[in-house]
Amino acid sequence: MNGFDGLWLKKLQRTLPPCETPAETAKAELSAFFADRGLGETFALAEDEALGEGYRVCWEGACCRVAGGHTGLLYGAYDVILGLLKGEGRQDLASAPQYPLRMLNAWDNMDGSVERGYSGRSLWFEGGRFDYDPERIRYLGRLLASAHINVLCLNNVNVHAPAQELVSGMLGDLKAFAALLRPFGVRLMVSIDFSLPLSAGLPTADPLDAGVREFWKALADRVWAEVPDLAGFLVKADSEHRPGPNAYGRTHAEGANMLAEAVVPHQGVVVWRAFVYDCMQDWRDAQTDRPCAAYKIYQPLDGDFRDNVILQVKNGPYDFQVREPVSPLLLSLKKTHLALEVQLAQEYTGQQIDLYAMPPMWREIFDVLPKENICSMAAVSNLGRGYFWTGHPFAALNLYAYGRLAWQPDTEPGRMIGDWVRLTYDLNVEDRESLCRLLAGSRNAYEKYTAPLGLCWMVVPHTHYGPCPGGYEFDLWGTYHRADRNAVGIDRTGEGTGYALQYPEKLHELYENLDTCPDEMLLFFHRLSYDWVMRDGRTLIQRIYDDHFEGYEAVRAMAETLRALPLPENDKAEAESRMQRQLRNAREWRDVINTFFHRLSGVSDARGRRIYP
Ligand code: GCV
């Protein structure tokens, strides 16, 4: 059962009186907060639809005037409250979102399990049906609204029975659940199964078939009659064995457009995932290179998607690895609405056992990706029913910061981290800075002790926690590093698989050229021998050893820092116990990877540190 520790709203009252609309919620939050402060502050809310989700806050003495559209008032109210909690004083504010859809994708199954979930079971499903504590869901609504997240996709993109029925036999439940989140400005979305017409008894799910088109239209009419503000459907099709239009010789655009036509009368959107590749690759096939796949499929379809289709693209071309270049699709599609998908669930980044604060990584994405290239954002949820909603108490930072990012992607990582720390813990300046540094450096440490220099996929297959350098090497997933006794990595330049050619000219040159390719992506783009001399004069093999020794030492230092921090008892106990597991994990990664490369290369560590034989 969830507690309240580790959450940025924990200083607010636990419950709110029932509200019907976001504006009422804004009123209830501000009333309760100002009453608690006891400083005689008052407020006035003025609805101004022209401001949409944006808001303006203006203080006149102790009276806080908030103007905003329907949900803008709510966001304004939360930003006033959070600002005061951070100690920023009575500040005038004006803000509006960069992206209208700021989505959270839950990969929750109706049996209560969560695919890639590390925070306990589903918050709303159990035993094949909806099963939740309404108060907890309302609290979830507050959390999401305070982070300005406005869409929640309820179920796993891999739609497992009986989740197909969410849009048929379970509409009453869906309606009731939507009503709980509506006062927080959070709209629902549902992942659907492209082959649903077949389960409903139709002979085909061909998107160009008239009967299939009618089926989806009638279904959409029924769904939106019950949940009129449903945001839309999320679709994983022709990906990792999920059904899709390819089975009927149709393109992804034809599949997506057919659904888009059905939802357009209801102002719905179809969010179509671009995570498509051959998951049955023969490892002997060195011509096929998985990162090339999505661009090859979707680039020719640019301009073919209807206006209410959004193509949702993972940040990198593989699958949420510790280090990947930005997906070239995000940089090249000009006539398609795009959503950037990131993963808060730490599937490959420590599973909420190891610390991994994401804002620095997101900054790097937006350093390359112009924010105007995309129209929305989605994040795979890291939430669950565990005591700490995000498994590791500090992983709540990633949820909070994601909301800030999707609202305004220019927000500085240090600001997001600092704000979460100030909201969540009462620390003196020195301790606060020390926790901020710990979080800000966590990604760098994790990267150093795991797969080196952009190599990817050295994890234990399927579970994806811990090292196993050979684990995916002879498998079907297109995830190879091809290390041998001379060299490691894949040549993805124009001379190699050609992946680098998918980038706009400047980036292509940057990555293609060994003199300019950033170190951390060297082995993503190039195949290099162990004696390759890096820009700093070290050999490649020495750099691999150094990183792994340093990564482990960094975690030891992090453990020391954590030990000295005066955090609340529960948070501290949980964070420390997870840190011990992280230390063991880092040691394992360090030794397995160093030994793996030592055995292959036969080169000893120039600094004589211990590498196991
Ligand atoms: C929901 C990876 C994960 C899968 C996930 C998939 C996806 O392959 O390991 O668990 O499935 O990505 O994003 O669809």
Side-chain angles (χ1 to χ4, degrees):
M1 170 67 96
N2 304 121
F4 296 91
D5 302 300
L7 295 177
W8 62 92
L9 289 188
K10 70 181 180 188
K11 291 178 194 151
L12 300 189
Q13 286 189 8
R14 298 277 153 90
T15 53
L16 275 186
C19 302
E20 293 287 320
T21 63
E24 277 182 29
T25 307
K27 207 166 150 187
E29 288 284 19
L30 284 171
S31 308
F33 181 70
F34 285 154
D36 273 3
R37 273 174 50 101
L39 299 178
E41 285 149 327
T42 56
F43 64 91
L45 302 180
E47 203 147 337
D48 177 354
E49 278 311 321
L51 292 174
E53 290 194 299
Y55 63 81
R56 271 200 306 268
V57 173
C58 172
W59 283 87
E60 285 167 14
C63 177
C64 172
R65 297 188 175 280
V66 185
H70 189 54
T71 46
L73 287 175
L74 182 61
Y75 298 137
Y78 276 121
D79 284 355
V80 167
I81 292 171
L82 297 186
L84 291 171
L85 282 174
K86 280 184 278 174
E88 283 168 357
R90 294 173 185 167
Q91 282 194 352
D92 290 351
L93 306 166
S95 192
Q98 174 72 30
Y99 304 123
L101 291 180
R102 302 175 298 279
M103 306 178 272
L104 192 68
N105 293 178
W107 286 355
D108 291 24
N109 299 313
M110 291 205 69
D111 65 2
S113 63
V114 179
E115 182 153 348
R116 311 304 177 187
Y118 310 106
S119 308
R121 294 180 70 75
S122 168
L123 278 160
W124 47 81
F125 293 140
E126 191 57 63
R129 57 189 183 86
F130 278 91
D131 177 358
Y132 53 83
D133 167 4
E135 274 313 304
R136 198 179 318 158
I137 299 306
R138 295 180 72 235
Y139 196 83
L140 170 70
R142 293 172 80 189
L143 281 177
L144 298 184
S146 68
H148 304 186
I149 293 168
N150 64 0
V151 174
L152 172 65
C153 185
L154 273 186
N155 61 310
N156 191 354
V157 288
N158 294 324
V159 183
H160 300 301
Q164 291 91 336
E165 290 170 39
L166 282 169
V167 285
S168 53
M170 295 189 208
L171 282 177
D173 297 325
L174 198 66
K175 180 179 176 171
F177 197 83
L180 281 175
L181 290 174
R182 192 167 291 127
F184 302 96
V186 178
R187 297 192 293 152
L188 295 187
M189 185 173 274
V190 180
S191 297
I192 53 122
D193 180 337
F194 196 80
S195 66
L196 195 62
L198 298 179
S199 353
L202 267 66
T204 177
D206 181 349
L208 298 195
D209 179 88
V212 170
R213 299 179 94 91
E214 276 316 306
F215 168 87
W216 282 109
K217 277 186 193 158
L219 180 134
D221 291 348
R222 283 198 304 277
V223 174
W224 265 270
E226 296 299 325
V227 189
D229 58 353
L230 191 81
F233 292 150
L234 175 61
V235 194
K236 173 174 178 178
D238 289 315
S239 162
E240 298 185 331
H241 309 293
R242 307 316 297 171
N246 288 175
Y248 307 96
R250 312 299 183 197
T251 67
H252 284 259
E254 286 168 325
N257 290 345
M258 178 272 295
L259 293 170
E261 190 183 71
V263 306
V264 80
H266 312 287
Q267 283 80 50
V269 292
V270 170
V271 179
W272 189 269
R273 292 178 86 234
F275 179 61
V276 182
Y277 66 98
D278 177 7
C279 65
M280 298 288 283
Q281 189 177 330
D282 185 337
W283 61 269
R284 296 168 192 82
D285 167 11
Q287 303 311 310
T288 307
D289 184 21
R290 172 167 159 182
C292 295
Y295 181 96
K296 283 189 179 162
I297 296 167
Y298 292 103
Q299 176 61 34
L301 299 178
D302 194 18
D304 289 355
F305 291 97
R306 285 187 67 127
D307 215 37
N308 61 330
V309 175
I310 298 174
L311 192 66
Q312 184 166 300
V313 184
K314 290 188 182 186
N315 61 274
Y318 256 141
D319 185 12
F320 302 133
Q321 300 298 290
V322 181
R323 173 71 66 173
E324 293 187 51
V326 170
S327 165
L329 267 187
L330 292 166
L331 302 168
S332 62
L333 297 195
K334 301 292 179 218
K335 292 176 280 180
T336 304
H337 298 303
L338 295 170
L340 166 67
E341 179 178 335
V342 296
Q343 192 186 38
L344 309 180
Q346 292 172 226
E347 177 177 359
Y348 296 97
T349 51
Q351 307 203 347
Q352 285 129 259
I353 299 165
D354 299 25
L355 256 188
Y356 192 99
M358 299 184 176
M361 175 175 76
W362 298 333
R363 166 82 291 131
E364 289 163 16
I365 295 172
F366 280 103
D367 280 347
V368 173
L369 172 66
K371 64 182 180 193
E372 300 77 19
N373 277 29
I374 59 172
C375 72
S376 37
M377 283 202 66
V380 180
S381 167
N382 59 358
L383 288 165
R385 222 180 258 221
Y387 178 80
F388 290 97
W389 293 61
T390 52
H392 196 304
F394 299 171
L397 159 69
N398 289 331
L399 179 64
Y400 166 80
Y402 162 67
R404 296 277 302 267
L405 182 83
W407 181 266
Q408 194 38 265
D410 297 331
T411 315
E412 279 306 313
R415 176 109 198 261
M416 298 180 193
I417 293 173
D419 284 352
W420 177 81
V421 169
R422 279 202 290 171
L423 288 169
T424 311
Y425 298 119
D426 291 319
L427 297 170
N428 66 32
V429 178
E430 201 184 316
D431 290 330
R432 195 163 67 218
E433 284 175 0
S434 152
L435 177 54
C436 288
R437 272 196 304 277
L438 176 74
L439 292 165
S442 58
R443 190 252 180 152
N444 197 20
Y446 187 86
E447 181 175 25
K448 278 192 166 184
Y449 64 78
T450 54
L453 306 169
L455 205 52
C456 314
W457 299 112
M458 291 194 142
V459 282
V460 173
H462 312 302
T463 65
H464 300 164
Y465 189 75
C468 186
Y472 274 118
E473 208 43 23
F474 303 101
D475 216 327
L476 301 162
W477 301 91
T479 45
Y480 318 114
H481 52 71
R482 304 196 191 274
D484 65 19
R485 66 182 183 159
N486 301 314
V488 56
I490 293 183
D491 179 0
R492 296 195 160 107
T493 66
E495 304 283 291
T497 70
Y499 168 75
L501 295 167
Q502 296 183 346
Y503 285 92
E505 192 52 30
K506 266 174 112 171
L507 276 176
H508 163 226
E509 279 171 15
L510 181 87
Y511 296 140
E512 175 102 10
N513 186 338
L514 271 165
D515 292 331
T516 54
C517 183
D519 279 0
E520 61 276 8
M521 277 193 271
L522 213 48
L523 296 177
F524 194 96
F525 284 97
H526 299 275
R527 179 167 182 80
L528 296 174
S529 59
Y530 297 115
D531 58 2
W532 167 261
V533 181
M534 313 270 300
R535 276 187 288 270
D536 65 7
R538 285 182 286 176
T539 58
L540 176 72
I541 188 74
Q542 190 56 39
R543 171 68 189 266
I544 292 175
Y545 295 152
D546 287 350
D547 274 8
H548 286 79
F549 285 118
E550 286 165 16
Y552 176 73
E553 289 310 321
V555 181
R556 277 170 44 123
M558 284 160 70
E560 288 300 309
T561 305
L562 180 63
R563 193 165 307 135
L565 284 174
L567 296 171
E569 202 180 319
N570 279 343
D571 301 49
K572 177 106 186 222
E574 191 65 32
E576 287 219 283
S577 110
R578 286 176 191 249
M579 183 59 87
Q580 287 314 307
R581 292 164 73 188
Q582 174 168 6
L583 253 181
R584 286 197 293 277
N585 189 37
R587 177 171 179 267
E588 205 59 14
W589 271 100
R590 178 197 69 188
D591 291 340
V592 170
I593 299 299
N594 281 346
T595 294
F596 174 78
F597 283 109
H598 181 247
R599 284 183 186 168
L600 280 177
S601 67
V603 180
S604 303
D605 173 37
R607 293 173 56 194
R609 289 161 295 192
R610 178 154 197 197
I611 296 183
Y612 293 83

